[in-house]
Amino acid sequence: MSVTFTAALRPPMGYVVGCGCAGVTARAPRYGTYADAQQAADQATAAAGTRLALPGCTLPAVCPDYPLYAVEVDPDGEVPFVNLSNANAIGVLEALGLSFGGGEDADALEPGLPADAAEDATVIPIVVVDAAGELSAPDLLARVVTALGLAPEDPGVPDRRAGSTLIGGRPAGYLQRRLLDLYDLAAWCAAHGRDVTWH
């Protein structure tokens, strides 16, 4: 599970048959409706194994083996996004002063270890994040600048072991890198007159 920040949706300016690569979406012919694009995608997928990779695909060796699908074409081109794992999203959302919707105990799960795990126990940590929302781009920019000022250094979190389970940490400086990614996203949204959403 994860939390993704991106630009608020706008009505698409058309649809294409794609594989998910931005280069394919930019080059593909446009369809007026989702249904038309999906029908063309289904026909192309039925030829799997015999079709070539789509122009602009970044994985041409494997593209022909996977199904194609209808892709919306955003009026502003390729829309940036920032994706965070649930465990890492908690720290970023807290730094921004946003709710992560997991309740009081959720941040206790962030380290991923119950205090009384037996040495031979199998622990499967589950971080509960139910975060969704929308802000204006200037509001997110201000929150990012504030968060960077309040947390200029992230020492990181080391990997931990609970019984036979390894819980990966995060490298030093992770929070600041992700905040800078969000700053770039918010700046893009501001330049295109769009709000920022996350879910």
Side-chain angles (χ1 to χ4, degrees):
M1 300 298 292
S2 63
V3 175
T4 301
F5 285 78
T6 191
L9 288 176
R10 281 199 172 150
M13 59 179 272
Y15 304 87
V16 300
V17 173
C19 60
C21 294
V24 170
T25 302
R27 291 175 175 86
R30 305 292 193 257
Y31 292 86
T33 68
Y34 179 87
D36 289 344
Q38 188 59 54
Q39 181 180 10
D42 291 343
Q43 289 171 350
T45 297
T50 61
R51 73 173 177 84
L52 299 174
L54 299 176
C57 181
T58 58
L59 299 170
V62 296
C63 182
D65 298 327
Y66 287 89
L68 300 174
Y69 51 92
V71 177
E72 292 183 352
V73 178
D74 192 276
D76 293 321
E78 186 178 359
V79 178
F81 64 92
V82 176
N83 185 261
L84 307 165
S85 71
N86 275 353
N88 289 326
I90 290 174
V92 172
L93 290 165
E94 285 181 333
L96 295 170
L98 301 172
S99 169
F100 52 86
E104 287 180 18
D105 297 332
D107 60 349
L109 292 174
E110 194 273 341
L113 294 176
D116 58 355
E119 194 57 36
D120 61 348
T122 298
V123 177
I124 303 173
I126 298 174
V127 180
V128 179
V129 177
D130 186 20
E134 185 167 332
L135 285 175
S136 71
D139 189 353
L140 184 60
L141 284 168
R143 287 171 182 264
V144 168
V145 169
T146 301
L148 285 167
L150 293 174
E153 220 176 299
D154 174 10
V157 174
D159 294 344
R160 292 179 209 66
R161 183 171 293 284
S164 60
T165 303
L166 176 69
I167 295 99
R170 70 172 184 266
Y174 176 86
L175 176 62
Q176 287 72 32
R177 283 193 301 278
R178 299 323 309 248
L179 288 171
L180 290 171
D181 291 342
L182 288 171
Y183 185 92
D184 291 344
L185 169 65
W188 186 94
C189 288
H192 292 86
R194 295 169 78 159
D195 288 347
V196 180
T197 64
W198 64 94
H199 55 84

